[in-house]
Amino acid sequence: MRILVTGGAGFIGSALIRHLIKETEAVVCNYDYLTYAANPDALQGVSESPRYSMQEHSICDSEALHKVFREFRPTAVMHLAAESHVDRSIDSAEPFIMTNIVGTYHLLEATRLYWNRLEGEKKDNFRLLHVSTDEVYGDVTDMEQIPTETSPYAPSSPYSASKASADHLVRAWHRTYGLPVMITLGSNNFGPYQHAEKLIPSMIQKAIRGENLPIYGNGEQTRDWLYVSDHVLALMAVLKEGEIGESYNIATGHHKTNIAVVREICELLEELAPKAKPHGISHFKELIRFVKDRPGHDREYAVDTSKIHSTLDWSPKESFQTGLRKTVMWYLSNNF
Ligand SMILES: NC(=O)c1ccc[n+]([C@@H]2O[C@H](COP(=O)([O-])OP(=O)(O)OC[C@H]3O[C@@H](n4cnc5c(N)ncnc54)[C@H](O)[C@@H]3O)[C@@H](O)[C@H]2O)c1
């Protein structure tokens, strides 16, 4: 396998590349623009491998994309490059439109040109796996009607709307040009090396610095939490066994409200880092503060995962508790 990974210096992309280099024989080219969200340290221990190479370019740069396809000659593309933070998309949507929509368009075109010139088995076996999010389905208001892969999209934020747009382009490139694509729709990830702007790392770091822990609104927003290495295994399962043109929801059923997540982090810090507790409080939970809610904040995400369970050999290995413990321990020992 020769896999072109876009966004491989990000949180999930770097976990994917660590897996590909350590657990498989794949040759990997990491195509990443190294934006603020990238963390090259997350590739330490694999970036020295002769099976790893890096191209620092934007997916909006079609020349650079064509060149990497010509020179690297991938057997598959795993597309993770994206602007990924909802709050940033509310402050300024343009980078989300450019990278997530326009960038995906350029990647699709470069892939199409390359794939059109392949022949025989190489053409038949080629795949483009596009990594999307459960946020494209929007708020789930009725738990009796959890979105399946055929449910309509109803994105709420500029981030989720840009991801939904990209998904539509990917589907259209399959339908119109026959490009062998698959789409995954993953739930909220957590684990080592996640950027400090995201909920779990931000709460761990603020707590050990003795800062207040701001929770949007009443904290009752519910998410399905997926440990990052379980997401990686799901992506690998889809790449290997998924059907061309199909989408796969990836989630765990570990539904937690934001306030419950933050309380569990506080409990773990009480156990694992009691000395980090600031003076004047008797429990980390006393740092929690409720702040004005984010506009358009979806209350609940949930997806039906029966398709991936019944058609592919995947189920999560980590529970929320085991994954959170590993995550907190990692942040404590890596001084992020
Ligand atoms: N984090 C989650 O909870 C989650 C859940 C489901 C799906 N996803 C999707 O998975 C993918 C990866 O998410 P993540 O959390 O690792 O994101 P991330 O923000 O941690 O990493 C994104 C990576 O993409 C790179 N990048 C950004 N713009 C680029 C461009 N124009 N050209 C090339 N590279 C560019 C960044 O440098 C970074 O390394 C995204 O597509 C995201 O939508 C994320």
Side-chain angles (χ1 to χ4, degrees):
M1 279 191 301
R2 297 179 63 79
I3 305 190
L4 178 64
V5 177
T6 72
F11 166 49
I12 303 169
S14 62
L16 172 66
I17 291 181
R18 292 195 298 276
H19 172 85
L20 287 169
I21 296 293
K22 289 181 182 166
E23 309 296 334
T24 77
E25 298 295 310
V27 178
V28 176
C29 177
N30 177 11
Y31 188 102
D32 194 302
Y33 201 29
L34 299 184
T35 69
Y36 82 94
N39 181 1
D41 284 350
L43 293 165
Q44 263 175 16
V46 294
S47 54
E48 303 80 19
S49 166
R51 290 188 285 115
Y52 173 85
S53 61
M54 162 90 206
Q55 291 288 331
E56 186 183 338
H57 299 287
S58 170
I59 51 168
C60 296
D61 181 343
S62 63
E63 279 310 306
L65 279 171
H66 288 303
K67 188 163 182 285
V68 85
F69 273 99
R70 270 196 315 271
E71 292 177 357
F72 181 67
R73 306 201 64 74
T75 56
V77 176
M78 298 178 86
H79 175 35
L80 292 93
E83 289 290 338
S84 69
H85 191 44
V86 175
D87 285 353
R88 283 179 185 263
S89 80
I90 294 167
D91 292 343
S92 170
E94 190 171 344
F96 290 74
I97 306 301
M98 293 312 296
T99 288
N100 299 0
I101 306 176
V102 179
T104 298
Y105 156 71
H106 285 300
L107 180 70
L108 285 167
E109 278 297 83
T111 310
R112 182 169 78 90
L113 200 87
Y114 170 76
W115 176 73
N116 271 339
R117 290 181 181 155
L118 293 177
E119 288 177 351
E121 268 194 3
K122 282 190 177 158
K123 187 164 195 167
D124 295 344
N125 294 338
F126 183 86
R127 300 285 183 275
L128 166 67
L129 193 159
H130 169 67
V131 177
S132 188
T133 164
D134 64 351
E135 299 192 29
V136 297
Y137 297 118
D139 226 355
V140 173
T141 49
D142 178 358
M143 285 304 275
E144 299 297 307
Q145 296 197 332
I146 299 177
T148 68
E149 288 80 356
T150 54
S151 297
Y153 282 11
S156 305
S157 70
Y159 163 67
S160 52
S162 69
K163 292 294 293 184
S165 307
D167 294 6
H168 289 314
L169 292 177
V170 172
R171 285 181 181 175
W173 259 243
H174 169 62
R175 180 82 195 253
T176 305
Y177 304 111
L179 198 66
V181 305
M182 292 166 307
I183 298 177
T184 57
L185 301 111
S187 64
N188 266 46
N189 280 221
F190 68 112
Y193 292 109
Q194 190 166 27
H195 194 280
E197 66 192 0
K198 301 286 168 61
L199 180 74
I200 289 180
S202 116
M203 292 296 143
I204 298 169
Q205 290 168 36
K206 282 183 197 301
I208 57 182
R209 289 199 296 256
E211 295 171 16
N212 287 339
L213 306 178
I215 310 274
Y216 282 133
N218 59 9
E220 292 299 323
Q221 306 84 2
T222 304
R223 303 291 180 258
D224 180 302
W225 291 94
L226 172 63
Y227 194 64
V228 65
S229 56
D230 279 326
H231 192 183
V232 165
L233 293 177
L235 298 181
M236 294 306 297
V238 174
L239 183 71
K240 281 187 202 144
E241 309 286 344
E243 278 207 34
I244 290 174
E246 292 293 312
S247 296
Y248 295 87
N249 290 339
I250 305 171
T252 58
H254 305 146
H255 296 258
K256 291 270 171 195
T257 60
N258 286 349
I259 183 66
V261 170
V262 176
R263 287 194 179 121
E264 288 195 38
I265 292 170
C266 291
E267 293 295 351
L268 280 166
L269 289 174
E270 282 294 323
E271 179 194 331
L272 299 169
K275 289 191 181 140
K277 193 161 46 199
H279 291 298
I281 61 166
S282 58
H283 197 293
F284 280 102
K285 281 183 198 164
E286 290 165 38
L287 297 171
I288 294 173
R289 300 284 181 280
F290 293 96
V291 299
K292 189 171 180 294
D293 207 353
R294 159 204 281 171
H297 206 167
D298 286 327
R299 195 181 142 80
E300 179 132 19
Y301 298 133
V303 285
D304 182 316
T305 51
S306 35
K307 181 170 173 182
I308 192 164
H309 289 305
S310 62
T311 61
L312 305 180
D313 184 23
W314 177 84
S315 53
K317 295 188 192 310
E318 299 289 345
S319 68
F320 180 73
Q321 283 71 23
T322 58
L324 190 64
R325 177 172 287 270
K326 284 185 181 176
T327 306
V328 171
M329 288 171 72
W330 186 87
Y331 280 97
L332 290 175
S333 57
N334 283 276
N335 250 341
F336 234 60

